Amino acid sequence: MSTPDLTRRLVHMPRTGKRLLALTLDASLCALTVWLAWMLRLEHWIPFSRMHAWATLGAWLLGLPVFAWFGLYASIFRHAGWNAMLALGKAAAVYGLLYALVFTVIGVSGIPRSVGIIQPLLMFVALGLSRVAVRLWVGDLYRELLARINSPGVLIYGAGQSGMQLAASLMRMPHQRLVGYLDDSPALQGRRLDGLPVHAPSELGQLVSEYRIGSVLLAIPSASVERRKQIVELLRSHAVHVRTLPGMADLVRRGVHASDLHDLNIEDLLGRDPVQPDEALLARHLGARTVMVTGAGGSIGSELCRQILQWQPGVLLLLEQSEYALYEIHRELTAAVAQQPERAPVQIVPLLGSVQDAARLDAILPAWRPDIIYHAAAYKHVPLVEHNPLEGLSNNVWGTLVCARAAARHGVGQFVLVSTDKAVRPTNVMGASKRLAEMVLQALHDEQNARPRAHRTCYTMVRFGNVLGSSGSVVPLFRRQIEQGGPVTVTHRDITRYFMTIPEAAQLVIQAGAMAHGGEVFVLDMGEPVRIHDLACRMIELSGQRVRDPLQPAGGIDIQVTGLRPGEKLYEELLIGNATSGTDHPRILKAQEHFLPWAELQAQLERLAEHMQAQRHDDIRALLLQLVDGYQPTGPMVDWVQQRDPAPAPRAAPGATGRVVAFPPRPRVTNDAPAAAP
């Protein structure tokens, strides 16, 4: 019989049975302490014999009634506290006086008088230790048993090796009432694995009500994304908290532990089975080369750095204007390099600076001579850019222009812009600024191709939709709101978005860049768009909660519709027109889209810069309507600064970073012709 089973039987014994058990224990301690007292008196070991009978009988006749009188058999051992121990001390003292009076003061023939002193002392110690032992053993185990009984049940989905290892780990954890397994295999259903039954998934509803199942743990690390989606859709119809294990690669390396469990990421549901990259192509493209990532501390920039590091560049330059973000990504990448001493070392260089600072770039690029620049630096939060339009345009348009022109001046072989689906028929300043950034690269590529030169920078753009888990994604926001008990806020019940995981997006950006010849707008296959309201419902249900609705007004988590934010639209698109062609990669398309020649675009950018410098918001809006195909703002341009001060002072020209009075403004790069390579 196992210890928990024995504990359960002891706890659930009738009161009379428990008292008889306590009396039997104390009677045994009386006999044991008489024997020990005799041996201490004689100073050698002797067997228990009839000569000890009178001393033992005396202990029984004097001790057990005294102990009962002081209530030692009325208290519950597992709850014994200070008052119970005080009563035990009093009982032992009275018993000791009586026993010493009989066997020491009066004396009994054949029994050493010292036994009358030694035995009560030993009995007091034995009584105290027995009560403490019962409290620790029965009491603590009973509380743990109650916690297990009262805690919601747990099922493991997957009765394979990972599931069994997870079950063994959970058995050692308190507050985990493991009920059994769920498995798709008919060969396993109805069997028992280490005493735990294996059920069919169709039995989940019955199990939830019968065993109060609160959690289902997915132990299927090798299952495809599509299979995981099917399983999760089954689990969504039941109020269970779904958690999962990491990927098989991690588990093979270090085994399965309960600490590996984490809440089911929505990325697991919206992602797709990965397409393996062309390793030979990426190794040739990145291996032993000098690569620079702007915005290296951001969501996409940092993931680009992680994946570039896998392909062993010689030097990885991290350009970031946020000191903390740069510190974090540099520390992470440096630690990753240190953990793989067998690989060729990669020099990781953290560089503080703004992409709008031409002088800073003119210092960095000739010093390190990067072969490739991935331009991920951008302001991308739609409402923030909508209310800070001048900064958004400066960073997204002129930051791209400054970097692209610097790349040409210093002989950078390739320049890859990370763009967004919000650049397609935008309704906000952020999307319009990103489309203008694309047009800048298209025009620069076209202009340099018209001029014979020794060197040409390969400009290319990669456009994709929302990235799950990025700083602007709804997923972290929904997760925080669910943890706080709601409400979960969505801007519109019908709003839809394309989604992609951060690693998948970064991988495809690198893959597209490796296939580029110049001037292309690559579009990533984002799959089917996702309704944000459905996403919120799914996340709530997978956390073990219910969505509050008219049919279930009490309990659950409420979803509140807050209304579209400034510049936000219901549907996003990836293509301006329908002219697309395939590439060697099944998830990467190539779009053919209209752009202005450089001479015309440069003139328009100069006009835009003048309007921005004078802070003429209506003129800026009108010019964006003219320049960006399909731009349809939902309202007037609202700048928080302009709202506060209708006549603000003129600002520095875009591209000029001398914004501190003590320093003169730097030359405006927008007035320069495309620079020839040195």
Side-chain angles (χ1 to χ4, degrees):
M1 183 183 300
S2 65
T3 301
D5 291 337
L6 179 59
T7 303
R8 189 182 297 108
R9 291 199 175 189
L10 287 175
V11 168
H12 293 294
M13 282 179 65
R15 176 72 62 190
T16 304
K18 293 177 182 176
R19 289 179 176 176
L20 288 175
L21 185 62
L23 278 168
T24 303
L25 173 65
D26 288 351
S28 301
L29 292 176
C30 286
L32 177 64
T33 52
V34 165
W35 178 50
L36 290 175
W38 213 297
M39 287 190 295
L40 289 173
R41 166 66 180 82
L42 300 178
E43 295 185 354
H44 63 83
W45 294 97
I46 59 173
F48 191 88
S49 61
R50 292 171 58 186
M51 62 184 296
H52 306 112
W54 288 109
T56 301
L57 181 62
W60 288 345
L61 295 176
L62 295 174
L64 298 181
V66 169
F67 300 155
W69 174 264
F70 279 93
L72 298 192
Y73 305 122
S75 62
I76 302 174
F77 283 18
R78 66 175 184 274
H79 298 307
W82 172 250
N83 290 332
M85 298 307 291
L86 188 61
L88 186 148
K90 292 178 181 179
V94 172
Y95 164 71
L97 289 174
L98 294 175
Y99 196 82
L101 178 64
V102 172
F103 291 97
T104 301
V105 177
I106 299 175
V108 176
S109 177
I111 300 176
R113 292 179 181 269
S114 58
V115 170
I117 302 296
I118 299 173
Q119 193 275 340
L121 293 175
L122 293 176
M123 189 64 189
F124 172 68
V125 174
L127 287 172
L129 290 178
S130 66
R131 268 56 178 177
V132 170
V134 170
R135 175 184 171 87
L136 292 177
W137 174 45
V138 178
D140 291 351
L141 286 177
Y142 179 65
R143 282 188 288 273
E144 180 180 331
L145 180 63
L146 279 181
R148 286 182 182 271
I149 292 173
N150 295 328
S151 61
V154 176
L155 285 170
I156 296 176
Y157 201 115
Q161 187 65 31
S162 297
M164 289 189 289
Q165 290 182 24
L166 178 58
S169 181
L170 290 175
M171 287 293 191
R172 298 189 294 270
M173 296 179 64
H175 313 301
Q176 296 288 346
R177 184 166 61 92
L178 188 56
V179 173
Y181 299 92
L182 295 173
D183 201 277
D184 301 320
S185 172
L188 292 175
Q189 294 167 7
R191 296 178 58 189
R192 285 184 171 267
L193 295 178
D194 198 19
L196 294 172
V198 181
H199 302 279
S202 59
E203 301 175 33
L204 180 58
Q206 177 184 348
L207 295 172
V208 168
S209 59
E210 183 177 351
Y211 295 101
R212 294 185 297 109
I213 302 298
S215 298
V216 176
L217 314 179
L218 299 186
I220 46 173
S222 60
S224 67
V225 173
E226 287 302 318
R227 180 58 191 140
R228 292 169 73 88
K229 284 184 183 179
Q230 294 169 5
I231 293 171
V232 170
E233 285 304 312
L234 167 67
L235 301 178
R236 279 186 62 194
S237 58
H238 306 280
V240 293
H241 186 188
V242 182
R243 289 183 289 167
T244 186
L245 290 170
M248 179 59 79
D250 293 334
L251 300 181
V252 168
R253 187 174 65 252
R254 55 184 173 79
V256 178
H257 304 282
S259 58
D260 294 322
L261 288 165
H262 57 78
D263 283 346
L264 187 70
N265 291 324
I266 205 69
E267 293 93 323
D268 296 332
L269 309 176
L270 301 181
R272 293 165 293 279
D273 291 327
V275 174
Q276 293 301 317
D278 186 337
E279 297 190 4
L281 175 63
L282 295 186
R284 290 195 306 269
H285 187 62
L286 298 174
R289 306 185 81 183
T290 299
V291 181
M292 178 172 168
V293 179
T294 70
S299 305
I300 294 297
S302 60
E303 184 62 29
L304 280 170
C305 293
R306 295 182 193 101
Q307 297 211 19
I308 290 168
L309 194 63
Q310 298 177 10
W311 300 102
Q312 296 279 235
V315 180
L316 181 55
L317 307 176
L318 316 177
L319 181 64
E320 173 61 58
Q321 66 176 347
S322 167
E323 180 187 28
Y324 178 74
L326 182 62
Y327 163 77
E328 282 293 307
I329 188 60
H330 179 248
R331 180 185 59 81
E332 178 187 337
L333 297 179
T334 303
V337 171
Q339 289 173 1
Q340 296 181 320
E342 72 282 356
R343 305 185 70 177
V346 178
Q347 186 176 3
I348 301 174
V349 183
L351 299 166
L352 278 170
S354 168
V355 293
Q356 300 180 63
D357 191 339
R360 176 65 169 157
L361 290 170
D362 283 338
I364 291 172
L365 298 186
W368 294 96
R369 296 285 177 184
D371 301 291
I372 307 167
I373 295 178
Y374 291 96
H375 182 55
Y379 291 148
K380 59 181 182 296
H381 195 273
V382 170
L384 288 181
V385 175
E386 198 69 13
H387 292 305
N388 299 271
L390 304 186
E391 287 300 320
L393 287 166
S394 293
N395 192 61
N396 294 354
V397 180
W398 272 269
T400 301
L401 177 59
V402 168
C403 284
R405 298 294 297 282
R409 282 196 301 274
H410 299 290
V412 176
Q414 187 178 49
F415 186 94
V416 181
L417 169 67
V418 177
S419 190
T420 171
D421 59 352
K422 293 175 177 61
V424 178
R425 281 180 278 276
T427 58
N428 50 70
V429 175
M430 194 282 281
S433 68
K434 293 298 285 185
R435 177 56 192 147
L436 266 180
E438 292 180 355
M439 293 169 64
V440 164
L441 293 194
Q442 290 174 301
L444 288 178
H445 172 77
D446 184 65
E447 176 70 11
Q448 74 175 2
N449 281 350
R451 297 185 177 190
R453 60 174 67 190
H455 169 80
R456 292 174 180 168
T457 298
C458 175
Y459 296 113
T460 191
M461 298 130 275
V462 184
R463 184 189 295 162
F464 53 89
N466 292 269
V467 178
L468 291 164
S470 68
S471 58
S473 172
V474 297
V475 172
L477 172 63
F478 286 173
R479 189 172 288 127
R480 286 194 301 271
Q481 291 174 336
I482 292 169
E483 290 171 355
Q484 294 165 3
V488 173
T489 56
V490 298
T491 58
H492 195 284
R493 291 187 66 88
D494 295 324
I495 193 168
T496 63
R497 290 293 181 265
Y498 290 99
F499 283 102
M500 179 175 281
T501 65
I502 293 178
E504 184 179 17
Q507 180 198 103
L508 293 179
V509 167
I510 298 171
Q511 184 88 38
M515 298 188 298
H517 298 288
E520 303 97 336
V521 178
F522 288 107
V523 179
L524 304 188
D525 174 16
M526 302 289 294
E528 294 298 320
V530 176
R531 191 164 170 257
I532 300 299
H533 188 274
D534 294 342
L535 174 63
C537 293
R538 189 175 300 183
M539 291 186 68
I540 291 171
E541 290 163 354
L542 293 176
S543 70
Q545 305 284 341
R546 286 296 189 192
V547 178
R548 188 179 302 159
D549 54 31
L551 298 178
Q552 186 179 337
I557 293 179
D558 191 24
I559 296 180
Q560 291 183 356
V561 178
T562 59
L564 291 174
R565 299 173 297 178
E568 193 172 37
K569 61 180 180 178
L570 286 179
Y571 308 99
E572 300 288 3
E573 304 166 89
L574 289 168
L575 297 171
I576 296 175
N578 295 319
T580 61
S581 58
T583 67
D584 293 338
H585 196 285
R587 295 247 173 90
I588 302 175
L589 301 175
K590 192 160 50 176
Q592 303 295 328
E593 294 177 352
H594 170 74
F595 62 91
L596 297 177
W598 172 250
E600 184 178 345
L601 180 62
Q602 183 185 25
Q604 298 287 16
L605 289 177
E606 289 175 1
R607 287 180 58 202
L608 183 59
E610 291 171 0
H611 295 327
M612 291 171 62
Q613 193 167 4
Q615 303 195 46
R616 296 191 290 265
H617 291 78
D618 290 340
D619 293 335
I620 294 171
R621 184 175 182 270
L623 190 52
L624 288 177
L625 284 167
Q626 177 184 340
L627 285 175
V628 179
D629 187 21
Y631 177 44
Q632 295 178 341
T634 55
M637 187 173 289
V638 179
D639 189 320
W640 289 131
V641 174
Q642 187 189 38
Q643 271 197 336
R644 184 70 176 172
D645 183 3
R651 34 183 287 134
T657 58
R659 298 180 183 178
V660 181
V661 176
F663 297 94
R666 296 189 176 103
R668 289 175 54 193
V669 299
T670 52
N671 291 330
D672 300 337

mmCIF file with all atom_site columns, all heavy atoms in Angstrom, residues 397-412:
data_model
loop_
_atom_site.group_PDB
_atom_site.id
_atom_site.type_symbol
_atom_site.label_atom_id
_atom_site.label_alt_id
_atom_site.label_comp_id
_atom_site.label_asym_id
_atom_site.label_entity_id
_atom_site.label_seq_id
_atom_site.pdbx_PDB_ins_code
_atom_site.Cartn_x
_atom_site.Cartn_y
_atom_site.Cartn_z
_atom_site.occupancy
_atom_site.B_iso_or_equiv
_atom_site.pdbx_formal_charge
_atom_site.auth_seq_id
_atom_site.auth_comp_id
_atom_site.auth_asym_id
_atom_site.auth_atom_id
_atom_site.pdbx_PDB_model_num
ATOM 1   N N   . VAL A 1 397 ? 10.214 57.796 -43.757 1.00 0.00 ? 397 VAL A N   1
ATOM 2   C CA  . VAL A 1 397 ? 10.563 58.160 -45.134 1.00 0.00 ? 397 VAL A CA  1
ATOM 3   C C   . VAL A 1 397 ? 12.010 58.630 -45.206 1.00 0.00 ? 397 VAL A C   1
ATOM 4   O O   . VAL A 1 397 ? 12.830 58.060 -45.926 1.00 0.00 ? 397 VAL A O   1
ATOM 5   C CB  . VAL A 1 397 ? 9.611  59.245 -45.671 1.00 0.00 ? 397 VAL A CB  1
ATOM 6   C CG1 . VAL A 1 397 ? 9.998  59.617 -47.105 1.00 0.00 ? 397 VAL A CG1 1
ATOM 7   C CG2 . VAL A 1 397 ? 8.167  58.755 -45.625 1.00 0.00 ? 397 VAL A CG2 1
ATOM 8   N N   . TRP A 1 398 ? 12.339 59.689 -44.440 1.00 0.00 ? 398 TRP A N   1
ATOM 9   C CA  . TRP A 1 398 ? 13.701 60.208 -44.544 1.00 0.00 ? 398 TRP A CA  1
ATOM 10  C C   . TRP A 1 398 ? 14.718 59.298 -43.879 1.00 0.00 ? 398 TRP A C   1
ATOM 11  O O   . TRP A 1 398 ? 15.872 59.251 -44.300 1.00 0.00 ? 398 TRP A O   1
ATOM 12  C CB  . TRP A 1 398 ? 13.760 61.621 -43.960 1.00 0.00 ? 398 TRP A CB  1
ATOM 13  C CG  . TRP A 1 398 ? 13.419 62.637 -45.016 1.00 0.00 ? 398 TRP A CG  1
ATOM 14  C CD1 . TRP A 1 398 ? 14.285 63.269 -45.858 1.00 0.00 ? 398 TRP A CD1 1
ATOM 15  C CD2 . TRP A 1 398 ? 12.113 63.072 -45.387 1.00 0.00 ? 398 TRP A CD2 1
ATOM 16  N NE1 . TRP A 1 398 ? 13.596 64.087 -46.718 1.00 0.00 ? 398 TRP A NE1 1
ATOM 17  C CE2 . TRP A 1 398 ? 12.255 63.991 -46.462 1.00 0.00 ? 398 TRP A CE2 1
ATOM 18  C CE3 . TRP A 1 398 ? 10.833 62.783 -44.933 1.00 0.00 ? 398 TRP A CE3 1
ATOM 19  C CZ2 . TRP A 1 398 ? 11.184 64.624 -47.071 1.00 0.00 ? 398 TRP A CZ2 1
ATOM 20  C CZ3 . TRP A 1 398 ? 9.763  63.405 -45.524 1.00 0.00 ? 398 TRP A CZ3 1
ATOM 21  C CH2 . TRP A 1 398 ? 9.928  64.319 -46.585 1.00 0.00 ? 398 TRP A CH2 1
ATOM 22  N N   . GLY A 1 399 ? 14.296 58.538 -42.850 1.00 0.00 ? 399 GLY A N   1
ATOM 23  C CA  . GLY A 1 399 ? 15.225 57.555 -42.295 1.00 0.00 ? 399 GLY A CA  1
ATOM 24  C C   . GLY A 1 399 ? 15.615 56.518 -43.332 1.00 0.00 ? 399 GLY A C   1
ATOM 25  O O   . GLY A 1 399 ? 16.782 56.130 -43.444 1.00 0.00 ? 399 GLY A O   1
ATOM 26  N N   . THR A 1 400 ? 14.632 56.070 -44.132 1.00 0.00 ? 400 THR A N   1
ATOM 27  C CA  . THR A 1 400 ? 14.924 55.117 -45.211 1.00 0.00 ? 400 THR A CA  1
ATOM 28  C C   . THR A 1 400 ? 15.793 55.757 -46.277 1.00 0.00 ? 400 THR A C   1
ATOM 29  O O   . THR A 1 400 ? 16.767 55.154 -46.771 1.00 0.00 ? 400 THR A O   1
ATOM 30  C CB  . THR A 1 400 ? 13.611 54.612 -45.834 1.00 0.00 ? 400 THR A CB  1
ATOM 31  O OG1 . THR A 1 400 ? 12.823 53.980 -44.829 1.00 0.00 ? 400 THR A OG1 1
ATOM 32  C CG2 . THR A 1 400 ? 13.880 53.629 -46.956 1.00 0.00 ? 400 THR A CG2 1
ATOM 33  N N   . LEU A 1 401 ? 15.468 57.002 -46.652 1.00 0.00 ? 401 LEU A N   1
ATOM 34  C CA  . LEU A 1 401 ? 16.238 57.686 -47.691 1.00 0.00 ? 401 LEU A CA  1
ATOM 35  C C   . LEU A 1 401 ? 17.678 57.910 -47.259 1.00 0.00 ? 401 LEU A C   1
ATOM 36  O O   . LEU A 1 401 ? 18.616 57.664 -48.021 1.00 0.00 ? 401 LEU A O   1
ATOM 37  C CB  . LEU A 1 401 ? 15.568 59.022 -48.027 1.00 0.00 ? 401 LEU A CB  1
ATOM 38  C CG  . LEU A 1 401 ? 16.285 59.905 -49.057 1.00 0.00 ? 401 LEU A CG  1
ATOM 39  C CD1 . LEU A 1 401 ? 16.447 59.177 -50.378 1.00 0.00 ? 401 LEU A CD1 1
ATOM 40  C CD2 . LEU A 1 401 ? 15.540 61.215 -49.244 1.00 0.00 ? 401 LEU A CD2 1
ATOM 41  N N   . VAL A 1 402 ? 17.868 58.383 -46.041 1.00 0.00 ? 402 VAL A N   1
ATOM 42  C CA  . VAL A 1 402 ? 19.225 58.639 -45.539 1.00 0.00 ? 402 VAL A CA  1
ATOM 43  C C   . VAL A 1 402 ? 20.043 57.348 -45.538 1.00 0.00 ? 402 VAL A C   1
ATOM 44  O O   . VAL A 1 402 ? 21.199 57.314 -45.979 1.00 0.00 ? 402 VAL A O   1
ATOM 45  C CB  . VAL A 1 402 ? 19.151 59.254 -44.123 1.00 0.00 ? 402 VAL A CB  1
ATOM 46  C CG1 . VAL A 1 402 ? 20.531 59.264 -43.469 1.00 0.00 ? 402 VAL A CG1 1
ATOM 47  C CG2 . VAL A 1 402 ? 18.603 60.670 -44.195 1.00 0.00 ? 402 VAL A CG2 1
ATOM 48  N N   . CYS A 1 403 ? 19.439 56.259 -45.039 1.00 0.00 ? 403 CYS A N   1
ATOM 49  C CA  . CYS A 1 403 ? 20.163 54.981 -45.000 1.00 0.00 ? 403 CYS A CA  1
ATOM 50  C C   . CYS A 1 403 ? 20.458 54.468 -46.404 1.00 0.00 ? 403 CYS A C   1
ATOM 51  O O   . CYS A 1 403 ? 21.563 53.971 -46.678 1.00 0.00 ? 403 CYS A O   1
ATOM 52  C CB  . CYS A 1 403 ? 19.332 53.947 -44.245 1.00 0.00 ? 403 CYS A CB  1
ATOM 53  S SG  . CYS A 1 403 ? 19.334 54.152 -42.468 1.00 0.00 ? 403 CYS A SG  1
ATOM 54  N N   . ALA A 1 404 ? 19.461 54.552 -47.295 1.00 0.00 ? 404 ALA A N   1
ATOM 55  C CA  . ALA A 1 404 ? 19.654 54.037 -48.653 1.00 0.00 ? 404 ALA A CA  1
ATOM 56  C C   . ALA A 1 404 ? 20.727 54.816 -49.394 1.00 0.00 ? 404 ALA A C   1
ATOM 57  O O   . ALA A 1 404 ? 21.561 54.233 -50.115 1.00 0.00 ? 404 ALA A O   1
ATOM 58  C CB  . ALA A 1 404 ? 18.331 54.091 -49.411 1.00 0.00 ? 404 ALA A CB  1
ATOM 59  N N   . ARG A 1 405 ? 20.748 56.146 -49.258 1.00 0.00 ? 405 ARG A N   1
ATOM 60  C CA  . ARG A 1 405 ? 21.763 56.952 -49.940 1.00 0.00 ? 405 ARG A CA  1
ATOM 61  C C   . ARG A 1 405 ? 23.148 56.698 -49.349 1.00 0.00 ? 405 ARG A C   1
ATOM 62  O O   . ARG A 1 405 ? 24.145 56.645 -50.071 1.00 0.00 ? 405 ARG A O   1
ATOM 63  C CB  . ARG A 1 405 ? 21.391 58.429 -49.823 1.00 0.00 ? 405 ARG A CB  1
ATOM 64  C CG  . ARG A 1 405 ? 20.059 58.798 -50.488 1.00 0.00 ? 405 ARG A CG  1
ATOM 65  C CD  . ARG A 1 405 ? 20.115 58.640 -51.998 1.00 0.00 ? 405 ARG A CD  1
ATOM 66  N NE  . ARG A 1 405 ? 21.092 59.539 -52.579 1.00 0.00 ? 405 ARG A NE  1
ATOM 67  C CZ  . ARG A 1 405 ? 20.888 60.840 -52.779 1.00 0.00 ? 405 ARG A CZ  1
ATOM 68  N NH1 . ARG A 1 405 ? 19.718 61.367 -52.465 1.00 0.00 ? 405 ARG A NH1 1
ATOM 69  N NH2 . ARG A 1 405 ? 21.827 61.593 -53.306 1.00 0.00 ? 405 ARG A NH2 1
ATOM 70  N N   . ALA A 1 406 ? 23.200 56.536 -48.017 1.00 0.00 ? 406 ALA A N   1
ATOM 71  C CA  . ALA A 1 406 ? 24.484 56.216 -47.389 1.00 0.00 ? 406 ALA A CA  1
ATOM 72  C C   . ALA A 1 406 ? 24.999 54.865 -47.863 1.00 0.00 ? 406 ALA A C   1
ATOM 73  O O   . ALA A 1 406 ? 26.204 54.679 -48.083 1.00 0.00 ? 406 ALA A O   1
ATOM 74  C CB  . ALA A 1 406 ? 24.339 56.233 -45.871 1.00 0.00 ? 406 ALA A CB  1
ATOM 75  N N   . ALA A 1 407 ? 24.095 53.899 -48.031 1.00 0.00 ? 407 ALA A N   1
ATOM 76  C CA  . ALA A 1 407 ? 24.498 52.582 -48.531 1.00 0.00 ? 407 ALA A CA  1
ATOM 77  C C   . ALA A 1 407 ? 25.119 52.698 -49.914 1.00 0.00 ? 407 ALA A C   1
ATOM 78  O O   . ALA A 1 407 ? 26.128 52.044 -50.220 1.00 0.00 ? 407 ALA A O   1
ATOM 79  C CB  . ALA A 1 407 ? 23.281 51.649 -48.557 1.00 0.00 ? 407 ALA A CB  1
ATOM 80  N N   . ALA A 1 408 ? 24.531 53.534 -50.784 1.00 0.00 ? 408 ALA A N   1
ATOM 81  C CA  . ALA A 1 408 ? 25.094 53.710 -52.129 1.00 0.00 ? 408 ALA A CA  1
ATOM 82  C C   . ALA A 1 408 ? 26.438 54.411 -52.066 1.00 0.00 ? 408 ALA A C   1
ATOM 83  O O   . ALA A 1 408 ? 27.386 54.045 -52.789 1.00 0.00 ? 408 ALA A O   1
ATOM 84  C CB  . ALA A 1 408 ? 24.114 54.502 -52.987 1.00 0.00 ? 408 ALA A CB  1
ATOM 85  N N   . ARG A 1 409 ? 26.546 55.433 -51.222 1.00 0.00 ? 409 ARG A N   1
ATOM 86  C CA  . ARG A 1 409 ? 27.812 56.179 -51.144 1.00 0.00 ? 409 ARG A CA  1
ATOM 87  C C   . ARG A 1 409 ? 28.965 55.300 -50.694 1.00 0.00 ? 409 ARG A C   1
ATOM 88  O O   . ARG A 1 409 ? 30.104 55.499 -51.113 1.00 0.00 ? 409 ARG A O   1
ATOM 89  C CB  . ARG A 1 409 ? 27.667 57.360 -50.164 1.00 0.00 ? 409 ARG A CB  1
ATOM 90  C CG  . ARG A 1 409 ? 26.941 58.552 -50.730 1.00 0.00 ? 409 ARG A CG  1
ATOM 91  C CD  . ARG A 1 409 ? 27.185 59.792 -49.872 1.00 0.00 ? 409 ARG A CD  1
ATOM 92  N NE  . ARG A 1 409 ? 26.761 59.636 -48.488 1.00 0.00 ? 409 ARG A NE  1
ATOM 93  C CZ  . ARG A 1 409 ? 25.527 59.851 -48.047 1.00 0.00 ? 409 ARG A CZ  1
ATOM 94  N NH1 . ARG A 1 409 ? 24.576 60.191 -48.910 1.00 0.00 ? 409 ARG A NH1 1
ATOM 95  N NH2 . ARG A 1 409 ? 25.233 59.708 -46.775 1.00 0.00 ? 409 ARG A NH2 1
ATOM 96  N N   . HIS A 1 410 ? 28.671 54.325 -49.829 1.00 0.00 ? 410 HIS A N   1
ATOM 97  C CA  . HIS A 1 410 ? 29.757 53.554 -49.225 1.00 0.00 ? 410 HIS A CA  1
ATOM 98  C C   . HIS A 1 410 ? 29.812 52.117 -49.734 1.00 0.00 ? 410 HIS A C   1
ATOM 99  O O   . HIS A 1 410 ? 30.415 51.248 -49.091 1.00 0.00 ? 410 HIS A O   1
ATOM 100 C CB  . HIS A 1 410 ? 29.619 53.590 -47.703 1.00 0.00 ? 410 HIS A CB  1
ATOM 101 C CG  . HIS A 1 410 ? 29.700 54.981 -47.143 1.00 0.00 ? 410 HIS A CG  1
ATOM 102 N ND1 . HIS A 1 410 ? 30.864 55.708 -47.131 1.00 0.00 ? 410 HIS A ND1 1
ATOM 103 C CD2 . HIS A 1 410 ? 28.738 55.789 -46.615 1.00 0.00 ? 410 HIS A CD2 1
ATOM 104 C CE1 . HIS A 1 410 ? 30.637 56.904 -46.597 1.00 0.00 ? 410 HIS A CE1 1
ATOM 105 N NE2 . HIS A 1 410 ? 29.350 56.982 -46.282 1.00 0.00 ? 410 HIS A NE2 1
ATOM 106 N N   . GLY A 1 411 ? 29.211 51.872 -50.883 1.00 0.00 ? 411 GLY A N   1
ATOM 107 C CA  . GLY A 1 411 ? 29.409 50.600 -51.565 1.00 0.00 ? 411 GLY A CA  1
ATOM 108 C C   . GLY A 1 411 ? 28.758 49.401 -50.920 1.00 0.00 ? 411 GLY A C   1
ATOM 109 O O   . GLY A 1 411 ? 29.247 48.271 -51.068 1.00 0.00 ? 411 GLY A O   1
ATOM 110 N N   . VAL A 1 412 ? 27.636 49.576 -50.201 1.00 0.00 ? 412 VAL A N   1
ATOM 111 C CA  . VAL A 1 412 ? 26.915 48.441 -49.620 1.00 0.00 ? 412 VAL A CA  1
ATOM 112 C C   . VAL A 1 412 ? 26.262 47.651 -50.753 1.00 0.00 ? 412 VAL A C   1
ATOM 113 O O   . VAL A 1 412 ? 25.607 48.224 -51.629 1.00 0.00 ? 412 VAL A O   1
ATOM 114 C CB  . VAL A 1 412 ? 25.858 48.920 -48.609 1.00 0.00 ? 412 VAL A CB  1
ATOM 115 C CG1 . VAL A 1 412 ? 25.040 47.742 -48.077 1.00 0.00 ? 412 VAL A CG1 1
ATOM 116 C CG2 . VAL A 1 412 ? 26.527 49.671 -47.464 1.00 0.00 ? 412 VAL A CG2 1
#
